[in-house]
Amino acid sequence: MPFHLTDEQEIMRAAVRQFAEAEVKPLAAVLDREHRPPLETIPKLADLGVLGMTIPPDYGGSGTDYLSFILALEELARVCATTAVMVEVHASLVATSILHFGDQAQKTRYLPELAAGRLIGAFALTEPGAGSDAAALTTRAEVDGDDFVLNGQKIFITNGGFAGVFLVLAKTSPEAGSKSISAFLVDRDRPGLSVGEPERKMGIRGSSTVSLLFDDLRVPRSALLGQLGQGFSIAMRSLDGGRTGIAAQALGIAQGAYEEAVAYAKQRVQFGQPIARLQAIQWLIADMATDLEAGRLLVYQAADLEDRGLPFSDVAAKAKLFCGPMASRVTHSALQILGGNGYTEAYPVERMCRDARITEIYEGTNEIQRLVIARAALR
Ligand SMILES: Cc1cc2nc3c(=O)[nH]c(=O)nc-3n(C[C@H](O)[C@H](O)[C@H](O)COP(=O)(O)OP(=O)(O)OC[C@H]3O[C@@H](n4cnc5c(N)ncnc54)[C@H](O)[C@@H]3O)c2cc1C
């Protein structure tokens, strides 16, 4: 492929692929069937350095560039989308936010724990009345002496069932608008935090998706991340980078389904020949391969721009807008190539079809990506 990866990036990618094949792939169907998160994989991901890829070595991380992290997500998603999203939220949405906006004490306290996998991070923005319109959130954080007191509800929080720290967005002043929102680092053991039952979902079934209730939850002033009123811009900055991560997840799911379909087409014989010899199948495979290559270029370009400190928000939105629907297309084509077998749990493609769909929704729906792209185009 034309996008040039460095030797280090290629080596890292090969290491994650080997790990994913050995440790992640065998669990993927089990997690899906049992609706349970891959807790046993967390220490192994930490040992490999994957949980700390976005964290500098000074804080115990492996401190790679963002493109390397994106390659790792792609490799994990190729075999297990559930594992990929757990890592994405933890390392991208939470760890990078602490790195970019945390004070020294917060970095020292949280980043080594996150890199070592002793703490897993969750990102709590969405509420029953605030999804795409995130600024409409109503969770309140009121000043009381030296503390803030949080009241409100969050929904659909990935990793929420086992996370040790939650990055929570809440209103610190009653006015409407994004300037009234602040970000807090809330430890799981705070009294006043209740965690709901896991959602039963169409796909990424092993991923823990829960609601959170804050009932007079008290945090010290030192839990404020960034400045008062900076929470919305922290969330938007995190989601910009996160979009590349979800695009990489979509790309990896599509790649996994494509490989299954190619292998199947070569060995499945109908009408006296492998179905790969049929032009109808070849055209499906050609379209899938083209989709993958186009998506890959967009994803890597977004990550590369971020690494070079250039504006990347618009390209990240394009990568997500292309790769989400692309993953749905490619996984469905793969299922078609597998015929009846593709529709059964005997093959991973039906799971991949279900897993792909969420990449068109979370961290900004397709429609919200279009808003971001159009805003940049019409500036
Ligand atoms: C499995 C899962 C995991 C998630 N993980 C997290 C998490 O870890 N943390 C977190 O905070 N949130 C999380 N979310 C929430 C997710 O980010 C939201 O579901 C998503 O942003 C969409 O919000 P919504 O569901 O409220 O849909 P809505 O905002 O109600 O949108 C409904 C429909 O209207 C469209 N729409 C809305 N506004 C516009 C507009 N202005 N123009 C055009 N179309 C529009 C949308 O695109 C969509 O098609 C998760 C969700 C799921 C399902």
Side-chain angles (χ1 to χ4, degrees):
M1 72 163 303
F3 199 98
H4 179 73
L5 297 179
T6 63
D7 289 347
E8 290 77 23
Q9 287 163 341
E10 293 286 10
I11 290 165
M12 185 285 309
R13 179 188 197 116
V16 178
R17 175 166 295 207
Q18 198 180 14
F19 171 83
E21 286 287 333
E23 303 284 349
V24 181
K25 189 174 180 176
L27 272 180
V30 181
L31 304 174
D32 179 68
R33 202 164 40 243
E34 297 177 2
H35 293 250
R36 72 166 174 88
L39 298 182
E40 61 269 62
T41 315
I42 291 173
K44 299 175 188 171
L45 286 162
D47 286 348
L48 190 65
V50 170
L51 296 183
M53 287 179 91
T54 59
I55 298 173
D58 289 354
Y59 295 105
S62 47
T64 66
D65 54 11
Y66 200 64
L67 178 52
S68 295
F69 173 63
I70 286 301
L71 294 169
L73 285 181
E74 181 189 347
E75 289 300 330
L76 293 174
R78 178 177 158 270
V79 297
C80 179
T82 278
T83 303
V85 72
M86 177 182 77
V87 173
E88 195 273 338
V89 169
H90 166 86
S92 180
L93 294 188
V94 179
T96 54
S97 300
I98 297 174
L99 183 66
H100 291 145
F101 300 101
D103 59 27
Q104 196 53 52
Q106 289 167 334
K107 289 183 195 176
T108 309
R109 174 166 176 205
Y110 288 109
L111 293 178
E113 295 295 295
L114 292 169
R118 287 188 292 271
L119 271 189
I120 292 293
F123 181 85
L125 174 64
T126 304
E127 298 183 1
S132 300
D133 184 8
L137 65 85
T138 57
T139 294
R140 288 297 313 271
E142 290 184 74
V143 178
D144 183 27
D146 286 339
D147 297 338
F148 287 94
V149 179
L150 273 68
N151 280 287
Q153 192 191 358
K154 299 288 177 183
I155 56 169
F156 296 146
I157 306 309
T158 299
N159 295 346
F162 55 92
V165 60
F166 297 85
L167 197 169
V168 177
L169 284 305
K171 284 208 157 164
T172 37
S173 69
E175 301 91 59
S178 55
K179 292 275 187 295
S180 59
I181 296 171
S182 301
F184 297 90
L185 294 171
V186 176
D187 296 333
R188 188 183 192 85
D189 56 7
R190 288 263 153 208
L193 173 67
S194 317
V195 178
E197 285 299 306
E199 299 290 344
R200 306 278 296 181
K201 305 188 296 293
M202 170 184 174
I204 54 160
R205 288 184 170 170
S207 176
S208 157
T209 313
V210 299
S211 60
L212 306 175
L213 195 65
F214 310 120
D215 182 13
D216 285 337
L217 185 152
R218 194 170 277 275
V219 290
R221 228 162 219 287
S222 59
L224 179 70
L225 181 68
Q227 305 299 311
L228 206 62
Q230 200 190 0
F232 195 73
S233 53
I234 292 175
M236 292 305 111
R237 168 64 184 81
S238 308
L239 289 171
D240 274 347
R243 274 168 195 150
T244 314
I246 299 303
Q249 184 196 20
L251 177 63
I253 298 169
Q255 178 67 33
Y258 169 78
E259 290 176 23
E260 291 288 333
V262 167
Y264 190 88
K266 285 183 184 167
Q267 59 81 26
R268 171 69 174 164
V269 174
Q270 285 296 275
F271 298 99
Q273 59 180 347
I275 60 169
R277 297 239 183 96
L278 302 172
Q279 196 177 50
I281 300 296
Q282 291 174 2
W283 284 17
L284 277 175
I285 287 173
D287 286 349
M288 292 158 81
T290 307
D291 254 349
L292 280 163
E293 185 130 356
R296 187 161 285 122
L297 288 172
L298 272 172
V299 173
Y300 293 3
Q301 192 194 344
D304 184 55
L305 286 171
E306 181 164 353
D307 277 332
R308 287 191 285 134
L310 296 169
F312 65 92
S313 162
D314 159 48
V315 182
K318 286 173 181 160
K320 185 171 187 296
L321 176 60
F322 185 82
C323 287
M326 181 275 278
S328 292
R329 273 196 304 279
V330 167
T331 53
H332 278 78
S333 294
L335 194 152
Q336 196 66 20
I337 290 171
L338 268 71
N341 278 330
Y343 200 68
T344 70
E345 291 182 4
Y347 288 81
V349 173
E350 65 83 30
R351 185 185 77 242
M352 291 165 168
C353 282
R354 291 185 284 104
D355 288 348
R357 191 63 175 86
I358 188 61
T359 64
E360 300 190 54
I361 295 169
Y362 57 19
E363 298 198 26
T365 62
N366 293 343
E367 292 74 22
I368 295 304
Q369 305 313 317
R370 288 191 173 92
L371 293 184
V372 173
I373 296 162
R375 207 178 295 135
L378 297 169
R379 213 171 10 230

